Amino acid sequence: MGGKAAAGGAAVREETSRRRQMLIRALIYIAGTHLFAGFVILLFAVGGRH
């Protein structure tokens, strides 16, 4: 019985690790998208001053 409990704990840890990696990846993508959008807005703002 101890083997099943240990395997279940490892599965939970693996799932938690995968979720954490997914959240980190999502945060990086969101931050990168916002930085890129801010750069484009900055280009329009600077280019519009004539």
Side-chain angles (χ1 to χ4, degrees):
M1 278 197 191
K4 285 185 180 179
V12 170
R13 267 194 307 271
E14 185 177 338
E15 179 66 25
T16 303
S17 175
R18 284 185 182 177
R19 279 192 186 172
R20 188 174 186 183
Q21 290 173 354
M22 183 190 68
L23 283 173
I24 291 171
R25 194 176 305 127
L27 286 173
I28 290 171
Y29 288 160
I30 290 169
T33 303
H34 280 80
L35 285 171
F36 179 72
F39 179 68
V40 171
I41 290 171
L42 185 67
L43 286 178
F44 277 105
V46 171
R49 293 189 212 164
H50 278 280

